[in-house]
Amino acid sequence: MQLSETQNKIFAILFAAGEPLDAGRLGEAIGLTPEEIHTYSAGISAWLEEGELPLELRRLDGSYQLCTRSLYAGEIRRALELRRNTPLTPAALEVLAIIAYNQPVTRGFVEQVRGVDSSSVVTSLVEKGLVEEAGRLELPGKPIAYRTTAVFLRCFGLGSLEELPDVTGEEEGPPEEDDQLTLTPPPSPPAG
């Protein structure tokens, strides 16, 4: 099996990007719809699998990223002399779960659920790229709300948040009107 010219373009863009790229943005670059990107990407994934290449194409909640297979993580780490990431502490995992299942949430919400100060843990998760600012709530003081990132999905092997395990044991209905949050989007980064 050989890739088509369109698949080669998608492959080249994802290789150069080095991070997840939204299917819509990818499609705009080469004149395709997101649905066409999904179709072509399935062929790229099959090509990588059949050719037993050390790469894989991961779909992350509507975005795509070209990654090396985890089988080669040790060799890559040694070659790049990366220090081994320290595992997440139980507190970090707890905060991450609270954010993942309730997002977008404020640090105050996390602290209310945990009953302890969580500012350093939230900061650590932001530094690791597992959570990010999701905007500010329209409340006094305009507190920052946080949500998980594509890095979170990739690290936990999830395609989307819908794949999170059910922790309640029952289906929940839509949130009550009072439970819905109004967010102000985060500021755009300066052009540079």
Side-chain angles (χ1 to χ4, degrees):
M1 172 181 170
Q2 194 164 344
L3 295 181
S4 69
E5 182 60 28
T6 301
Q7 288 171 317
N8 279 331
K9 289 176 184 178
I10 294 169
F11 188 89
I13 292 168
L14 291 173
F15 181 82
E19 60 186 34
L21 199 57
D22 180 72
R25 186 169 175 200
L26 185 56
E28 283 179 28
I30 55 179
L32 297 174
T33 66
E35 291 75 25
E36 290 171 315
I37 293 293
H38 298 315
T39 301
Y40 282 114
S41 296
I44 295 169
S45 290
W47 176 75
L48 291 168
E49 188 69 36
E50 287 174 16
E52 297 180 6
L53 296 170
L55 302 172
E56 63 183 345
L57 184 60
R58 295 195 110 180
R59 184 172 178 178
L60 306 164
D61 205 18
S63 295
Y64 289 93
Q65 183 173 16
L66 196 58
C67 304
T68 53
R69 294 194 188 277
S70 58
L71 174 67
Y72 303 102
E75 290 83 359
I76 293 167
R77 190 175 290 119
R78 283 191 296 278
L80 299 178
E81 297 180 352
L82 296 175
R83 68 181 173 94
R84 187 171 183 181
N85 287 336
T86 56
L88 293 174
T89 64
L93 287 171
E94 186 176 85
V95 169
L96 196 53
I98 292 167
I99 293 171
Y101 282 98
N102 299 285
Q103 62 188 306
V105 297
T106 64
R107 185 175 45 86
F109 176 84
V110 172
E111 291 174 353
Q112 184 179 9
V113 171
R114 293 187 70 223
V116 296
D117 176 55
S118 301
S119 56
S120 64
V121 178
V122 172
T123 300
S124 169
L125 292 172
V126 169
E127 289 171 357
K128 290 179 186 298
L130 295 170
V131 299
E132 66 186 0
E133 185 178 321
R136 292 186 175 266
L137 295 183
E138 293 295 332
L139 297 172
K142 295 199 178 254
I144 297 171
Y146 294 93
R147 65 179 171 221
T148 57
T149 65
V151 174
F152 164 80
L153 293 174
R154 187 176 60 242
C155 288
F156 287 89
L158 302 171
S160 70
L161 292 173
E162 286 75 36
E163 294 179 19
L164 283 170
D166 181 20
V167 293
T168 61
E170 58 186 65
E171 290 290 316
E172 289 188 26
E176 296 293 324
E177 190 172 315
D178 293 342
D179 293 342
Q180 296 182 5
L181 302 177
T182 306
L183 294 175
T184 303
S188 298

